[in-house]
Amino acid sequence: MNVFILTDLEGIPGVNSIDQMERGTPQNILAKEQLCKWINKTAEYCRKHGAETVYYLDGHGGGGNVFEEKIDPTLIKCSILDWGELLKAGKIDCQIELGAHARAGTIGGFLDHTISSREWFRYTLGGREFSELAIHAALCGAYNVPIVACIGDETACEQAKEYIPAIVTGAVKKASCRNLCQDHPNAEEIVENAVRQALENYRSIPPYHTSLPTTVELTFYRTDFCEKAMEKAQCEFVRLDARTLQRRVEKIERYADLKI
Ligand SMILES: [Zn+2]
């Protein structure tokens, strides 16, 4: 069994305040150290419960959050492009979302957002509002790969079940407001239990299937963010209103097929 761990920073135990997102600050370095620790631990639990190869992707803010010298050298680091290639080549059996957070506009979600906290107001696929986990599930599902576990704050875990009812969740903390949260005391036990249950049952957790063709709609917070996205867009799109772009999706083969 080959497991792919897609990481984010917001849902990692020990990351408890928005201050820790500011790159280069001492608090951010602590957050990055926690991320490294939990990548290693999650991978260790994967191995203990049947994984042979473990891949990981540093998914927060385009990467740069991992001190590679602190990562178990037997893990394979991947880029977003590598992730797509591995899926295509049938080299991933299941995926774990480590450090997940809720989608933009979720009450009770620690640092709720979708892709861009600053610019993205709402992302929908096929008319349904999507979280980052759901976007990942749509790509994995196109290759029949299930996302089997979500590790993050309580609300991120509840929300993961909206998309994948059978997903195994490990809620490691709870938000006290959007920008602060508190860890649950027994994170190691919670994460190991989630990984064990997820890997033992990975064949019974269905991949997320998207009926094609479909549409992506992306609403920005501001008109100028929308205009900037129009200039940079690599695909055909329609502008529905001042702040919203829509694209038609004929196929889902790469992560870029789900973006504008
Ligand atoms: Zn993030």
Side-chain angles (χ1 to χ4, degrees):
M1 176 179 25
N2 300 331
V3 180
F4 194 91
I5 303 174
L6 201 158
T7 74
D8 209 340
L9 196 56
E10 291 83 351
I12 296 292
V15 178
N16 303 116
S17 158
I18 192 172
D19 302 342
Q20 289 180 272
M21 298 297 124
E22 179 102 21
R23 292 206 187 225
T25 60
Q27 302 96 301
N28 179 248
I29 291 168
L30 290 177
K32 288 159 74 168
E33 282 168 355
Q34 288 297 313
L35 175 62
C36 295
K37 169 182 158 183
W38 286 99
I39 290 173
N40 287 332
K41 284 207 172 287
T42 304
E44 176 196 323
Y45 302 144
C46 286
R47 289 255 163 75
K48 186 170 163 190
H49 297 289
E52 285 155 42
T53 307
V54 181
Y55 303 98
Y56 75 98
L57 168 59
D58 174 8
H60 175 76
N65 307 289
V66 167
F67 300 112
E68 284 181 49
E69 69 280 7
K70 294 198 173 171
I71 300 293
D72 172 351
T74 65
L75 308 185
I76 301 171
K77 184 175 186 178
C78 296
S79 67
I80 286 191
L81 289 176
D82 298 332
W83 177 39
E85 292 303 316
L86 288 166
L87 285 167
K88 201 172 196 170
K91 291 195 172 153
I92 300 174
D93 293 297
C94 60
Q95 180 162 314
I96 291 173
E97 300 271 313
L98 172 64
H101 55 79
R103 68 178 177 248
T106 303
I107 293 173
F110 178 58
L111 299 176
D112 65 313
H113 69 281
T114 308
I115 312 283
S116 170
S117 284
R118 195 173 118 84
E119 300 193 0
W120 289 28
F121 179 76
R122 181 193 294 116
Y123 172 102
T124 67
L125 183 70
R128 182 178 193 189
E129 226 172 305
F130 261 37
S131 63
E132 291 176 22
L133 178 143
I135 298 172
H136 304 157
L139 178 64
C140 289
Y143 293 101
N144 262 321
V145 172
I147 295 188
V148 292
C150 172
I151 294 157
D153 72 86
E154 284 191 7
T155 304
C157 288
E158 280 164 31
Q159 196 166 74
K161 287 181 179 285
E162 289 177 19
Y163 303 101
I164 308 164
I167 197 169
V168 177
T169 58
V172 291
K173 53 183 167 178
K174 184 174 171 57
S176 38
C177 61
R178 196 261 179 188
N179 292 345
L180 289 173
C181 71
Q182 284 190 315
D183 287 329
H184 292 323
N186 43 350
E188 295 192 12
E189 199 184 322
I190 293 167
V191 174
E192 180 169 5
N193 278 336
V195 170
R196 178 182 50 74
Q197 275 185 52
L199 298 195
E200 279 173 4
N201 300 308
Y202 84 91
R203 285 197 174 83
S204 64
I205 300 173
Y208 189 91
H209 287 133
T210 308
S211 36
L212 294 170
T214 187
T215 51
V216 164
E217 278 182 28
L218 177 53
T219 302
F220 297 87
Y221 283 105
R222 292 193 339 221
T223 304
D224 56 338
F225 296 153
C226 184
E227 288 166 352
K228 189 177 76 180
M230 290 166 70
E231 282 167 27
K232 292 197 333 198
Q234 304 278 324
C235 59
E236 285 188 29
F237 61 84
V238 180
R239 188 176 190 178
L240 296 184
D241 60 39
R243 295 181 299 138
T244 306
L245 303 180
Q246 182 192 66
R247 78 174 282 193
R248 188 175 157 88
V249 177
E250 306 278 351
K251 59 179 171 54
I252 301 175
E253 287 177 357
R254 316 172 293 147
Y255 187 56
D257 293 332
L258 294 163
K259 304 275 286 283
I260 295 185

